[in-house]
Amino acid sequence: MTFLRKIPELSSLLAIGMATALAAAPLTAVAAAPPHRAVAGTRSGPTIPTHPGPKNDDYFIGANYFGGWKSGPNFHFDYANGTDWRPDHPELEPKYGWYDDSQPVMDQQIKDASANGLDYFVFDWYPERPTINDGGDLGGLHTGMNLFRTSAEKNRMKFMVNYIDGGPFNIGALRTPGMTQAQYEAVRAAEWDTITTKWVQLFSDPSYVTIDGSPVIEIYDVQRFTTDFSTGTRSGLSPHELAKIPEERAVMRAAVDVLKAKAAAAGFPDVIIGGGLQQPGWSGEYVNAHDYDGLYDFFTAYAWHDMKRVPAADNSYYNLIRDNHDYVWNYFAKYKNPAADYVPVITQGWNNIVHPDYPKWSIDKTPEAFGNSLREARAYLDQHPQTNLSTGSSIKMAIIGSWNELFEGHYFIPTKADGDAYTSQVGRVFGATDTGAAASARAANLVDVVTAYLSRLDRRLADTPVSSDEHATLTSAKAPAQQIVAALDAPASLTQALTKVAPLVNALPGALRGTALSSGDLGPVQRAWSSLVEAAFGLTVTASSSDYSATHGESVSLGVDVQGSAPVSNLAWKVRFPSTWPTADIQLAGNHQNTTTVVPQAVGDGTLYNVSDMFPGPSDMIGNRQDLSVDYTFTVGGVDVSGSVPLPLTVIRDLSSRIIRNGFDGTTNRHSVWIHNQTDRSISGTLALASVPGVTATADTSAVTLAPDERREIPVTFVNETGADAQIAATFTCEGRTVLLGTAAVSPKEMSVTTVPTLDGTVRSDGIAEVNNIKGRLQVGNAARADGTNTEYRPIVSFDLTRLAGGVVTRVMLDLTEFESGNPSGVVIEHLNPLTTLSAANFSAAARATAPFPIEGAPAAPGTHRQVDVTSWVQADLAAGQTLSTFRLRLAVVAPATTSYRAFRPTEYTSADDSDAPQLKVVFAP
């Protein structure tokens, strides 16, 4: 494995000796340097090295790029109310200013991105939509890509496109009301012909990402792609279900063949297609639905995999990393077709300032935490490289989401607030192609960080009363910092600059003794210094663990390494454990070192947070984040380097579980008992369901063996004849202990009570009573006539209670489904005296009791389930010896001259039996 990605120029430099070469290779000029910096000089050899593209067993790291930052009116800079959000968020301002995608800005972005380890941009690509054109070029959405292609710096990187088929840009959005399937298919074919022709033109750009000569393209959403390219005959199926049907798959295959035929005509051997799939499914079912026939060469996602299953207070960046690593990445690796690959997306969190009501995943997000995410991705790529994208070789490809999605909170572009603290993490973890440019960028960053440190000293001197001794100390403490800035200001050579700066950095902690500031204030300086030295000598320092989360007693492998061609001496490592661990720090020496540690049974409280348990629905599982770290020291080129790499480890319980209710048909309760073995060993045990008199429980199995990290669903059914709700505990006994898995809520068996057809119907305000006209439809409303009059109609139903006499009724529900409405308003249900006949007089008959129907505002989508509790009314009728319960529905408010209605059906309604009348669901004990 070649971790330092060499270019011809650098190879020759290394061949003649690192120190000598660096002395002859001063720092490259930085176009966007602030006024206090004047870094000068040019590198020997080619001015702009050509990026080689993905290579065997090498990391190939890209980032999504959003191209909507244009000058002039731009809604991307607006809140939902149209006001500009930039004054409220100065921390988001890029170092280039609130930029438009101008050529100088794009040129500098390419320099900064490539210098910090990025190999390619993935530009969002949108099809033409006149309503969004906004003055041409889709309102600037393609400007970034176009400026990349015209940049004099573009040889430093590659680019590819992500077909954004969401929102108004999917082909299905071109379907208009009344359009037949045949008409839509003609529109679809024409649009697809235009789209694919433009893509093949992009493929011909020498900077476009290719693997073995085949261009790579990503489709943003495979679900949308599936529905866009479908037969249109199965509207009731989900995209995952459609994808499994050969007839539907053939439509997608034909579309892909169009693209590949055009690419072949242009001289390309193939097209490598990636599918955007946000989730693999709880048991890999989404992956299995879409990757079974090789239509997609790899899967990935745009920016993140949002789990959204923990309280908002625990939406931490660490939690998001764990979700992505333990669930998404591992599940794609576990369940994908062996002939397909997975390209992990490395998330930058989420914080949509335009929509503050959206969940945020930005708590605890720091440059170091971002570095942890990158190290997790690198360890994943080492274990799961893409083995199918290139013939006879492996590629380690990943996408960071994203470079510059500023208002959504996932970005790592250099900013005025953070400098390249986030940006530089990529190069520190994965290395950079152009080490000269990387060193220049890190030197500029060190100057920025030291300048910020000087500003803190000045504020301390100006804003806070200090003693004369502290004033003198602070004043003298500025000297080494000022000398660091001067040493990096147009150095004669990099070697001389590093040699001069090293003792100055080492002197800073001692210079602060006796002041209110501490060595903690120097953390950013120390990190920036280590980063500069590593970049200058083409080194990457890595520390990794085999697990991001682990259980008590589990063995965790730790690895440390320094990779690169420069000779390193005096290399020493110290693995540090939390003080609450009964584990001594581990000392290691030399490159390529590995060790193991066992998570103790008692680790002490670190950072406790609610973590996802990988099951549907909210999680109550608590994780305990323990802050391990690795310190390192070494010497390279006569310069001493020290640093620290955080290795957070979340300790979780060995078994997680969930009981999920799947349905109830009035008699049988269907549940799923899920068990997840979160350890690294197999576990065998017995599932048991608590015994409750009157409740019959049946499980598919009781003996359960779970492989390491296996999740198992065990179907369970219950029949409850007690006449009351029951709570049934499920336990799992293994390794001499019994674990409570959860409790199932089991509904009692219900009796269905039907109506008396001769007493059902609709009474109207115009004196008409329509007997037995319901036929599965209860419509309540008001009809406005052309002559200015109104006709209100109220359905009435009467239920036969004779079967309930002499028993105990504990619950009665009127069970309906709302399926249609027009200008809807509120509905009232009324309890009437039992009828002997249905007549017009029932329209205004006095009600014994009234209750609002469970509806607020406009109705939900057709098919919304509505349940009305009428228990007390039925119990009152039974207590009075009645054999009927009669109910009437009416509008809460009738608006004159306005037609308004709501229509309901029994939940059991079918088109084959449209005479179905409403039913009462009764919990009854004889």
Side-chain angles (χ1 to χ4, degrees), residues 252-274:
M252 289 180 277
R253 172 67 66 185
V256 168
D257 287 345
V258 168
L259 171 61
K260 294 195 173 189
K262 289 184 178 182
F268 296 103
D270 199 357
V271 179
I272 296 174
I273 299 176

Side-chain angles (χ1 to χ4, degrees), residues 700-746:
D700 275 14
T701 183
S702 58
V704 179
T705 297
L706 299 170
D709 196 33
E710 181 184 357
R711 295 166 63 250
R712 179 82 58 82
E713 178 187 16
I714 304 171
V716 178
T717 59
F718 301 94
V719 176
N720 178 3
E721 303 199 52
T722 65
D725 292 326
Q727 302 291 321
I728 309 298
T731 58
F732 186 66
T733 301
C734 65
E735 299 178 344
R737 63 196 176 106
T738 298
V739 178
L740 175 64
L741 301 178
T743 302
V746 180

Side-chain angles (χ1 to χ4, degrees), residues 313-519:
D314 291 318
N315 284 354
S316 72
Y317 185 60
Y318 283 104
N319 210 345
L320 187 60
I321 296 173
R322 180 185 178 273
D323 257 358
N324 279 255
H325 180 279
D326 286 12
Y327 170 57
V328 181
W329 296 356
N330 286 349
Y331 273 46
F332 269 107
K334 182 176 182 179
Y335 292 111
K336 70 176 180 63
N337 189 308
D341 281 307
Y342 175 64
V343 174
V345 58
I346 305 170
T347 181
Q348 262 287 71
W350 177 270
N351 183 8
N352 193 318
I353 60 175
V354 176
H355 294 283
D357 53 319
Y358 288 5
K360 298 177 176 64
W361 291 89
S362 57
I363 302 170
D364 294 331
K365 189 178 81 171
T366 64
E368 290 71 32
F370 179 45
N372 288 336
S373 182
L374 295 167
R375 280 186 286 273
E376 288 295 315
R378 196 193 64 189
Y380 177 87
L381 290 170
D382 288 342
Q383 296 174 358
H384 305 286
Q386 294 93 33
T387 57
N388 302 294
L389 300 184
S390 176
T391 303
S393 63
S394 296
I395 294 173
K396 298 176 180 178
M397 184 176 181
I399 301 173
I400 305 172
S402 62
W403 172 254
N404 63 342
E405 287 271 24
L406 299 169
F407 68 83
E408 292 183 346
H410 50 103
Y411 63 90
F412 64 107
I413 188 174
T415 62
K416 291 184 177 180
D418 294 317
D420 73 347
Y422 285 94
T423 321
S424 62
Q425 292 290 334
V426 181
R428 294 198 72 177
V429 173
F430 291 106
T433 301
D434 185 350
T435 54
S440 179
R442 306 286 175 82
N445 182 61
L446 178 58
V447 171
D448 288 340
V449 171
V450 172
T451 301
Y453 162 74
L454 285 169
S455 296
R456 287 198 299 275
L457 292 179
D458 287 337
R459 286 196 301 272
R460 173 70 181 167
L461 287 168
D463 299 340
T464 307
V466 297
S467 66
S468 58
D469 289 342
E470 184 174 355
H471 188 281
T473 301
L474 289 170
T475 302
S476 63
K478 295 171 61 176
Q482 292 167 333
Q483 292 171 40
I484 291 172
V485 175
L488 293 174
D489 188 13
S493 75
L494 182 58
T495 301
Q496 293 177 7
L498 295 179
T499 302
K500 184 179 295 184
V501 169
L504 296 172
V505 172
N506 293 333
L508 288 175
L512 288 177
R513 290 195 184 99
T515 72
L517 300 177
S518 67
S519 57

Side-chain angles (χ1 to χ4, degrees), residues 27-41 440 443-444 447 485-492:
L27 299 175
T28 306
V30 178
H36 64 260
R37 188 188 309 128
V39 182
S440 179
V447 171
V485 175
L488 293 174
D489 188 13

Side-chain angles (χ1 to χ4, degrees), residues 569-756:
S569 60
N570 304 321
L571 178 56
W573 310 86
K574 178 183 285 189
V575 181
R576 293 186 178 274
F577 299 96
S579 59
T580 54
W581 284 37
T583 308
D585 294 344
I586 299 175
Q587 305 278 352
L588 301 170
N591 282 2
H592 315 296
Q593 297 299 306
N594 292 281
T595 187
T596 59
T597 188
V598 175
V599 180
Q601 293 297 324
V603 296
D605 287 346
T607 301
L608 300 178
Y609 65 109
N610 193 291
V611 299
S612 294
D613 58 8
M614 311 306 163
F615 297 118
S619 166
D620 62 357
M621 187 170 75
I622 301 299
N624 185 351
R625 197 182 82 219
Q626 302 287 300
D627 292 324
L628 285 67
S629 63
V630 176
D631 297 343
Y632 62 89
T633 59
F634 62 84
T635 302
V636 59
V639 177
D640 294 332
V641 182
S642 62
S644 182
V645 178
L647 284 179
L649 180 71
T650 295
V651 180
I652 56 178
R653 60 181 183 236
D654 55 359
L655 285 175
S656 66
S657 59
R658 188 76 64 84
I659 299 180
I660 298 172
R661 182 185 175 101
N662 298 320
F664 174 56
D665 62 8
T667 299
T668 303
N669 294 261
R670 294 181 294 106
H671 288 70
S672 290
V673 177
W674 285 88
I675 310 176
H676 185 187
N677 174 15
Q678 301 188 130
T679 73
D680 58 356
R681 67 188 188 281
S682 294
I683 292 179
S684 295
T686 302
L687 171 68
L689 301 169
S691 177
V692 174
V695 178
T696 302
T698 305
D700 275 14
T701 183
S702 58
V704 179
T705 297
L706 299 170
D709 196 33
E710 181 184 357
R711 295 166 63 250
R712 179 82 58 82
E713 178 187 16
I714 304 171
V716 178
T717 59
F718 301 94
V719 176
N720 178 3
E721 303 199 52
T722 65
D725 292 326
Q727 302 291 321
I728 309 298
T731 58
F732 186 66
T733 301
C734 65
E735 299 178 344
R737 63 196 176 106
T738 298
V739 178
L740 175 64
L741 301 178
T743 302
V746 180
S747 298
K749 187 175 179 179
E750 296 177 343
M751 174 187 295
S752 293
V753 174
T754 58
T755 63
V756 178

